[in-house]
Amino acid sequence: MIPLSHYLIVSVLLFAIGCAGVFLRRNVITILLSIEIMLNAVNLSFVAFGRASGDLNGQIITFFVMTVAAAEAAVGLALVIALFRHRESLNPDAFTLLKW
Amino acid sequence: MFETLSFYALAGLAVVASALVIGQRNPMYSVLMLIASFAGLSGLYILLDAPFVAMAQIIIYAGAIMVLFLFVVMLLNAPQEDAAEWDRAHPFRGPGVGRFGALLAALLAVQLAWALTAATGLSAGVGERTDAATVSSIRALGRMIFTDHGFAFEATSILILVAMVGAVVLARREGDS
């Protein structure tokens, strides 16, 4: 039987990879993908904790996270399309209108 | 034995594919790598006796969300990261910010790992104390979603509706009516 800590370590690694992606990449689409990685890392820990405690709530919150991720992806990609139309760029450093 | 082997194979697939997602210059390959990562995670969910979550992971994430990402990547047709000219113009340019971000991510991993070592009761097998049938029952899952979590479920449907309308409004060209 796999210990719970192993699942949590995988979750930690995925979350750290996603966090590094948000900071390091200069592409809005890759940043959104990194956010999806982080959401999935949290999902994995929810399901693992739910399995360890014999509780279904861990799986149910995973569905809600998936739904919110779908909504976030739809709105985020619409924003990306609108931004690309104005600036012809996907680099977040290009969007500096509110900066002085 | 088989369970251990498949756990390490699937966990390795998920982690390596996720690392490749942020290691790619071309967003198209990033999206495809993320689909591979989701396949690994879905296998982990099956190991955790959560078959419905595993199927939802494939159908919703790999099937719907990633296809949406692929559509946008193909629609925008800007595959390479155009870092060069904007990096020169940016005041915080240079590797300093990148180093700070990498440091922050490494710090987060160390901190979470340290929290894991400090916690107790994690070394027991994940399915030792409870029965697999109680958590893998889709009937119980559906009953719980539509009774105990009915309000959250309905609120989610409103959220989806708002996100749909918002996406249509945001992506619309100015001047269209």
Side-chain angles (χ1 to χ4, degrees):
Chain A
M1 202 45 110
I2 314 286
L4 175 58
S5 56
H6 283 42
Y7 285 102
L8 295 183
I9 286 168
V10 174
S11 173
V12 164
L13 286 176
L14 288 178
F15 196 91
I17 288 170
C19 180
V22 169
F23 281 115
L24 295 179
R25 296 313 301 271
R26 301 260 67 83
N27 184 325
V28 185
I29 291 179
T30 318
I31 288 174
L32 281 175
L33 290 175
S34 304
I35 293 173
E36 301 289 335
I37 294 177
M38 286 198 277
L39 287 170
N40 272 284
V42 176
N43 274 351
L44 180 63
S45 68
F46 274 139
V47 175
F49 274 122
R51 178 69 187 90
S53 59
D55 196 345
L56 279 174
N57 282 307
Q59 295 181 39
I60 286 171
I61 196 161
T62 301
F63 296 132
F64 290 129
V65 171
M66 277 185 195
T67 327
V68 172
E72 172 248 321
V75 175
L77 289 172
L79 280 173
V80 168
I81 290 177
L83 283 172
F84 188 78
R85 199 174 283 147
H86 280 285
R87 291 290 158 124
E88 291 291 318
S89 168
L90 287 178
N91 192 331
D93 295 338
F95 313 125
T96 53
L97 195 64
L98 284 178
K99 204 160 141 192
W100 54 279
Chain B
M1 188 60 206
F2 172 73
E3 196 190 351
T4 313
L5 274 182
S6 47
F7 171 79
Y8 285 113
L10 292 167
L13 172 66
V15 171
V16 170
S18 300
L20 285 175
V21 168
I22 69 166
Q24 297 287 339
R25 288 266 148 202
N26 191 334
M28 184 69 91
Y29 294 139
S30 291
V31 175
L32 294 177
M33 278 298 146
L34 195 55
I35 292 177
S37 165
F38 287 165
L41 273 172
S42 153
L44 287 181
Y45 291 145
I46 289 177
L47 281 183
L48 282 168
D49 299 312
F52 193 61
V53 178
M55 287 305 115
Q57 173 87 8
I58 293 290
I59 294 171
I60 298 178
Y61 259 119
I65 300 183
M66 285 304 116
V67 168
L68 194 63
F69 271 96
L70 272 182
F71 263 121
V72 172
V73 170
M74 291 180 180
L75 188 70
L76 297 186
N77 196 20
Q80 300 301 325
E81 249 178 61
D82 48 350
E85 68 273 21
W86 285 104
D87 268 4
R88 281 197 289 276
H90 192 251
F92 293 135
R93 74 173 190 89
V97 180
R99 270 206 298 273
F100 177 71
L103 184 73
L104 219 55
L107 199 68
L108 181 75
V110 168
Q111 201 174 22
L112 288 174
W114 176 67
L116 278 185
T117 60
T120 56
L122 297 181
S123 54
V126 72
E128 261 171 16
R129 276 171 291 185
T130 52
D131 190 19
T134 55
V135 288
S136 63
S137 160
I138 295 174
R139 170 194 286 264
L141 200 64
R143 193 180 295 267
M144 245 177 124
I145 284 181
F146 288 107
T147 54
D148 296 356
H149 302 275
F151 177 75
F153 183 81
E154 297 299 334
T156 309
S157 65
I158 304 277
L159 172 77
I160 291 280
L161 181 67
V162 171
M164 198 169 69
V165 174
V168 169
V169 169
L170 280 173
R172 196 178 52 182
R173 217 175 274 278
E174 268 171 49
D176 288 5
S177 58

